[in-house]
Amino acid sequence: MALLAEARQWFEQWIGAVAIAVDGAAGRFVRKRNIQLDENADGSFTASIAASKDGRVPAALSLRLDHDSPQPAPPVEWKAAFEGSRIEVRLQSGHVVSRLLDFPSQAADFLDGMVRAQVDRLTPWTAAEAVFGWGSPQPVSNDRIEVAFSATSAAKVDPLLRLARAVGAASIVVSAPAVGSDGAPLQVTLLDRQLRGLAGPQVPRLLRIGLISTGVAAAAALLLNIYLGGSLQSEQEDLQRQISQRRAALRIGANSETGIGLLAKRKQTTPSSVMVLEALSRVLPDTTYVTELRIEGSKVQVVGMTQDAPSLIRLLEQSPQFTRATFFAPTTHAVNEPAERFHVEANITAYFGSGS
């Protein structure tokens, strides 16, 4: 009975996975209805929708969230409009924290990690308690970029997710206002989530029918193969022998200094540039600006501006990712510069670990 229950559970999981794949393929060809949900100053929302093919447009709907349900209850035409739609929520600026972040241009490929590491400093929430996003990086002077960042509390977004599920929407997008580097207003996407499939609730049932039919055909083919001979058994034994040989070869390579073993050793002992950059962003204080970053073997060299250059040596030495921090060039302070120009190098701990 336990084996039968496990087989049934595996079968249900397989059906669900294939249904998700079918939904994804169907989503490329099914055109979803877009409903815009604008937050008002009093916390209510105004829903509007573009004209349908027959030219009919439901009148704008004003609603409030009451225990994750729209109040008042939407009329019949709006219930039909919400079903399977894509809801685009635009939040008011009063519930959003917006910042214009400045990074070196070389950090454009690592924005996800660098922004996520600063969420608790930029907002009243931690990264787990916030829903946040940023716009496209815009180049500015001195080889730097600026990024429009917006965030809000997850407690603000969760009721909207439950509302979208309650009205039968297929997906939801939550965006917030921000200001670009040129001063122009823009919308930053905080959340874009698929709530349910587009292929319909009949997909799992059709898959079951198709799988049963396939199983019957496979059983017939197996019986035919048994009558024709034992070729299947011989092929299986040959395949098992090849698998054993391949496992033995991999085991030998893992224990040697060549092949897979050498690659694994190199991966563990070579510092990751992304992890070095993230570790520096945590160690260096907010008053420090990095203008040059060089990683050569197991050493990192950092050049930039700071208010207190000697304190950087202490901060790097306290970090588990760096050792033997020292100045490789004199610290200078020009008349026309507001801070000290430092040149620091340190050894890198190659393996950062999953907890760093």
Side-chain angles (χ1 to χ4, degrees), residues 281-297:
S281 68
R282 292 197 303 266
V283 170
L284 298 179
D286 295 341
T287 57
T288 299
Y289 300 91
V290 175
T291 58
E292 294 182 31
L293 175 66
R294 294 187 294 272
I295 300 176
E296 298 177 357

Side-chain angles (χ1 to χ4, degrees), residues 17 32 60 89 119 202 212-213 218 241 254 272 277 298 308 319 324:
K32 293 176 288 187
V89 182
V119 169
Q202 297 299 323
I212 292 173
S213 301
R241 184 172 59 257
S272 168
L277 186 61
S298 61
D308 185 7
S319 171
R324 299 182 181 178

Side-chain angles (χ1 to χ4, degrees), residues 34-50 60-65 78 82 86-96 156 160 163 172-177 187:
N34 288 343
I35 296 178
Q36 186 167 319
L37 207 61
D38 293 308
E39 185 180 20
N40 301 317
D42 60 354
S44 63
F45 290 88
T46 300
S48 58
I49 185 174
L61 177 68
S62 180
L63 54 89
R64 289 182 174 274
L65 297 184
W78 269 103
F82 277 122
R86 178 178 177 85
I87 298 179
E88 299 178 353
V89 182
R90 293 191 175 186
L91 299 178
Q92 279 276 343
S93 58
H95 301 285
V96 176
K156 174 70 176 178
L160 296 171
L163 170 67
I172 181 173
V173 178
V174 180
S175 62
Q187 289 287 323

